[in-house]
Amino acid sequence: MADTSILVVGQVGRDLVLAVKEVPGGGGSSDVRERRELLGGKGANQAVAMVQLGAEVELLGVVGDDAVGEELLRSLDRDGVGHRWVRRRGPSALLVDVVSADGDSRLLEDVPPTSVLTVEDVHAAAEAFAAADTVCLQLQQPVGALVEAARLAAAAGARVVLDGAVDADRRGLLDAASVLRADAHEAGLLAGRPTGDADAAAALARQLVAEHRLDVVALGVDGGDLVAWPGGHRVFPHASGHVDATGGGDSFVAGLVVGLRAGTTPERAGELAADCAASTVARLGGRPDLGVLRPG
Ligand SMILES: Nc1ncnc2c1ncn2[C@@H]1O[C@H](COP(=O)(O)OP(=O)(O)O)[C@@H](O)[C@H]1O
Ligand SMILES: [Mg+2]
């Protein structure tokens, strides 16, 4: 696969991770025990994770036309993520992750309207879609941009991967997709009822696989992740305890995609995905460190 790559379509921003003993209530305050300022955003975190797993990755997203944007591009460079399609305008997005000692986290997201993708941004990156064998779409991006991205990906014959909440507007994307991943909350929204129970999630996954001809559906469930494919499924239980669950899903997607792309079975790809998620939730912040999990 020398000339092809993964294209990740999603958010890029500055992550400010603040570790506190306890998250204060209204009117309270708390000393910060540790502060990390990192390249972040779901798009960047997925892209970095995939590079760490050995893939060649291009990112389509937006960074600010500011000093932070400059720094984010340098970080992408250091991480080996292709950023020739990353647009620059407005202020950079800022994501603040406040994490308590027991692993409970609060996320504050300043996502300026200029920092999300437009249909024009997608068109301007048409070449990137043509070169990709796999396109990962983060469903938090505006629906118009996602629909156009799915159309270009399909035209290129690329595998389309969706991650996030499939609301009514985004439902049509399922027919363009091969892989869907949703966390437990997002899976419940899609089903219109709670699907935390593994049997309920398996029923939803079976229905999605059949109705939309999906190759793989991964859904968060109570205490684990379910991975389903035509004819089977498996639940991967979470390791006990976590430092910060932020970014667990993004690393999960990265493992799943890299595994499938290497031609392994959905079950084996699910194993890698679960290992990647477990590694990232054992760390503060959403930034992955997956080098040791790189498939041989
Ligand atoms: N011990 C754990 N506790 C909580 N989450 C875990 C644990 N181990 C792994 N995870 C992963 O974290 C994921 C969270 O997904 P998601 O909410 O999409 O995260 P994000 O969007 O921040 O990347 C779970 O689906 C799971 O794969
Ligand atoms: Mg997620």
Side-chain angles (χ1 to χ4, degrees):
M1 41 185 64
D3 293 317
T4 59
S5 58
I6 301 173
L7 176 64
V8 175
V9 178
Q11 190 181 53
V12 196
R14 155 61 58 84
D15 252 5
L16 172 60
V17 187
L18 302 173
V20 296
K21 187 158 175 260
E22 264 176 62
V23 178
S29 73
S30 181
D31 286 335
V32 170
R33 295 171 143 189
E34 193 178 342
R35 168 171 111 190
R36 289 192 194 165
E37 293 178 55
L38 306 162
L39 165 69
K42 312 183 81 55
N45 285 340
Q46 272 186 24
V48 168
M50 291 168 184
V51 169
Q52 291 171 345
L53 293 171
E56 197 176 305
V57 184
E58 286 288 342
L59 180 59
L60 173 56
V62 183
V63 300
D65 192 13
D66 50 11
V68 174
E70 218 32 83
E71 225 176 279
L72 295 174
L73 292 180
R74 277 198 298 272
S75 304
L76 287 167
D77 236 17
R78 281 195 299 274
D79 282 317
V81 175
H83 55 76
R84 53 191 288 232
W85 307 106
V86 172
R87 313 296 302 243
R88 293 200 66 179
R89 61 177 172 248
S92 294
L94 174 67
L95 312 153
V96 183
D97 178 20
V98 183
V99 191
S100 67
D102 62 5
D104 194 16
S105 66
R106 307 269 191 289
L107 200 57
L108 304 171
E109 303 185 84
D110 179 20
V111 180
T114 48
S115 74
V116 295
L117 290 163
T118 65
V119 174
E120 291 70 36
D121 295 331
V122 172
H123 280 161
E127 220 181 288
F129 287 87
D133 58 80
T134 303
V135 175
C136 298
L137 302 179
Q138 275 158 15
L139 298 178
Q140 294 84 355
Q141 293 294 312
V143 66
L146 292 170
V147 167
E148 193 53 20
R151 194 184 66 77
L152 289 178
R159 168 190 275 135
V160 174
V161 179
L162 307 180
D163 176 43
V166 181
D167 59 10
D169 287 347
R170 287 164 176 73
R171 241 187 136 102
L173 293 168
L174 289 171
D175 290 320
S178 310
V179 179
L180 167 70
R181 194 244 159 213
D183 68 21
H185 176 69
E186 294 157 351
L189 291 177
L190 179 54
R193 60 192 147 78
T195 54
D197 173 71
D199 290 338
L204 172 63
R206 257 197 311 278
Q207 183 195 335
L208 290 166
V209 164
E211 269 178 31
H212 303 284
R213 299 170 165 273
L214 294 164
D215 297 328
V216 180
V217 173
L219 303 174
V221 296
D222 296 337
D225 289 280
L226 175 129
V227 176
W229 55 89
H233 73 265
R234 187 170 148 194
V235 175
F236 299 91
H238 291 157
S240 61
H242 62 272
V243 171
D244 177 6
T246 310
D250 298 326
S251 285
F252 189 95
V253 171
L256 194 63
V257 165
V258 169
L260 292 173
R261 200 164 169 259
T264 58
T265 62
E267 186 172 12
R268 291 289 302 280
E271 248 163 58
L272 177 61
D275 288 346
C276 291
S279 161
T280 296
V281 303
R283 298 163 56 80
L284 194 59
R287 185 185 161 81
D289 183 14
L290 305 176
V292 295
L293 294 170
R294 182 175 173 152

